[in-house]
Amino acid sequence: MKSVTLPLVNNETFDSQYTYELHGYLSLKEHTTLVQLLNETVYQHPNPEFTICSFIILWCVWILFIVLSYIIWRHRRGTWPISIGIILIFLSLVIYLIIYRYRRQKFEEAILDVCQRLNATENIRGIHYRWMSSTYSVVIEFDDRYNAITSDLYNRDFVSIPLNAHIPPPVYEEKYLH
């Protein structure tokens, strides 16, 4: 059983390199169509990133909550404005993590859906698509049992010439020998 990995490059596109391992299992056109389908899915449901920009925005929101809590505390002289500021900081972090997790879940569900649809059609040929969430890559597995019968299907650009024709010798009967 062979396998080829298509990694997600820069959280934007899948690697579209047609390698030698794919020859005989997937044609160049099928591979290009597959990568295009995966890239369209990534474009429609982008993978969320924890970038420095989102961290700066979250940090600014926290500073704003601290400053507002301090201003309210200076006018009211109680402990409740400070506790409200801490609660707002905690809630903003929880909301941010919920949004991040929701987007990541939508991304992974979309990729898994594409893999399942591809498996529904390609399992007949012995090709299985699997999503690896730990490495953010799609693994294409080829089963040689299904490809043994139709191995000449994708190898038409190679010419094979038989070395001997293997014609059985003629059989003569006695009546023709006289």
Side-chain angles (χ1 to χ4, degrees), residues 4-5 7 10-11 15 25 43 52 56 75 82-83 87 92 106 117 119 139 150 155 162 165 167:
V4 176
T5 304
N10 295 330
N11 283 330
D15 186 18
Y25 298 99
Y43 181 73
I52 193 72
I56 290 172
H75 291 290
I82 295 173
S83 59
I87 291 171
S92 66
K106 283 295 183 187
R117 284 188 286 145
N119 284 334
V139 176
T150 60
N155 295 331
I167 301 173

Side-chain angles (χ1 to χ4, degrees), residues 58-59 61-67 69 82-96:
L58 191 61
W59 186 260
V61 168
W62 291 350
I63 296 295
L64 179 69
F65 287 153
I66 291 172
V67 168
S69 296
I82 295 173
S83 59
I84 288 178
I86 293 172
I87 291 171
L88 288 176
I89 288 172
F90 179 73
L91 285 177
S92 66
L93 178 65
V94 168
I95 290 171
Y96 177 78

